Amino acid sequence: GAVVSQHPSWVICKSGTSVKIECRSLDFQATTMFWYRQFPKQSLMLMATSNEGSKATYEQGVEKDKFLINHASLTLSTLTVTSAHPEDSSFYICSPGTSGRAILADTQYFGPGTRLTVL
Amino acid sequence: SQQGEEDPQALSIQEGENATMNCSYKTSINNLQWYRQNSGRGLVHLILIRSNEREKHSGRLRVTLDTSKKSSSLLITASRAADTASYFCATETSGSRLTFGEGTQLTVNP
């Protein structure tokens, strides 16, 4: 069964609206959650790392005020794309860190992704 | 910027042939992983090779790692049409943070 879930799996929104993406770690506690973005026909790029109970760290060039990350519990991290624009259209994928798992710690799990289309 | 570079960017072969994809990276790593992604879908973890390993097998997959050259290869033997997908290498440097390569689009023609 799925180890990591994301919701929604796809979303279409108008320019200027905000979109929240949820990522849940189903089988283990995740103190860290990695958020990746993938543009069409491109590779995955790490956007930010959320940490349970503390502020997220953002990669260079990623606006922290635009991509709000909350990691309120050990099983849930959310990414909110604020005032979305067409250039934010992308595939967003989360991946929990492995530190909370005692077994299969080498296997990195990824959520199924959320496809965001901003009109 | 991406640490990993993969070649070829695109590979088209006939069913039954072997497919080889290469990945190069720039910094020291804990391990290197290969993933598969079908069009518009999530990632599937294929195989992980640690920095102290040189070769690993899993079914029809064979992965090599040369840390002196900072490169890895993924070999898929006896390819099938269902192997058509994008394949990415990813290096882990610390704390399960991954840096992905550019990817190779593999097309296996029936």
Side-chain angles (χ1 to χ4, degrees), chain B residues 3-59:
Chain B
Q3 167 167 248
E5 296 179 0
E6 292 182 60
D7 72 272
Q9 289 187 329
L11 180 62
S12 181
I13 59 175
Q14 294 300 122
E15 211 165 22
E17 294 180 340
N18 296 339
T20 300
M21 290 160 266
N22 301 296
C23 168
S24 62
Y25 57 93
K26 297 176 182 175
T27 65
S28 296
I29 62 172
N30 291 336
N31 61 64
L32 186 144
Q33 305 174 33
W34 284 90
Y35 289 85
R36 166 199 169 114
Q37 184 181 38
N38 286 67
S39 180
R41 306 292 293 274
L43 292 174
V44 175
H45 182 268
L46 295 177
I47 198 165
L48 177 150
I49 186 164
R50 298 177 187 274
S51 60
N52 61 353
E53 297 176 310
R54 293 295 168 259
E55 188 172 312
K56 208 161 184 180
H57 297 255
S58 177

Side-chain angles (χ1 to χ4, degrees), chain A residues 32 34 36 38 41-46 49 59 91 93 95-99 106-113 115, chain B residues 1-2 6 31 33 35 37 39-43 45 48 50 88-89 92 94-103:
Chain A
T32 302
F34 299 99
Y36 295 86
Q38 184 181 32
K41 298 190 184 303
Q42 294 188 26
S43 186
L44 281 77
M45 291 285 289
L46 181 65
T49 304
E59 297 300 302
F91 195 50
I93 305 171
S95 176
T98 58
S99 60
D106 285 342
T107 302
Q108 195 76 18
Y109 293 101
F110 288 80
R115 184 160 304 282
Chain B
S1 63
Q2 289 286 336
E6 292 182 60
N31 61 64
Q33 305 174 33
Y35 289 85
Q37 184 181 38
S39 180
R41 306 292 293 274
L43 292 174
H45 182 268
L48 177 150
R50 298 177 187 274
F88 295 94
C89 68
E92 181 187 329
S94 65
S96 60
R97 170 199 172 116
L98 297 179
T99 302
F100 284 83
E102 300 296 328

Side-chain angles (χ1 to χ4, degrees), chain B residues 47-93:
Chain B
I47 198 165
L48 177 150
I49 186 164
R50 298 177 187 274
S51 60
N52 61 353
E53 297 176 310
R54 293 295 168 259
E55 188 172 312
K56 208 161 184 180
H57 297 255
S58 177
R60 293 184 297 113
L61 306 180
R62 172 177 170 258
V63 168
T64 62
L65 178 64
D66 187 334
T67 52
S68 65
K69 295 181 180 178
K70 291 185 168 58
S71 67
S72 174
S73 68
L74 170 67
L75 168 67
I76 303 175
T77 60
S79 63
R80 307 166 182 168
D83 293 329
T84 294
S86 292
Y87 292 82
F88 295 94
C89 68
T91 53
E92 181 187 329
T93 52

Side-chain angles (χ1 to χ4, degrees), chain A residues 8-23:
Chain A
S9 56
W10 59 270
V11 57
I12 302 173
C13 70
K14 292 182 178 180
S15 186
T17 60
S18 294
V19 175
K20 179 187 281 190
I21 301 170
E22 292 186 349
C23 177

Side-chain angles (χ1 to χ4, degrees), chain A residues 51-113:
Chain A
N51 303 289
E52 189 267 338
S54 64
K55 291 182 179 180
T57 55
Y58 290 80
E59 297 300 302
Q60 191 173 6
V62 178
E63 299 176 56
K64 63 179 182 180
D65 294 331
K66 181 169 181 62
F67 298 98
L68 302 180
I69 288 175
N70 184 279
H71 195 148
S73 77
L74 291 172
T75 58
L76 173 64
S77 176
T78 61
L79 167 68
T80 301
V81 183
T82 62
S83 187
H85 290 281
E87 58 265 30
D88 299 322
S89 298
S90 188
F91 195 50
Y92 293 86
I93 305 171
C94 64
S95 176
T98 58
S99 60
R101 288 184 281 139
I103 58 173
L104 295 179
D106 285 342
T107 302
Q108 195 76 18
Y109 293 101
F110 288 80

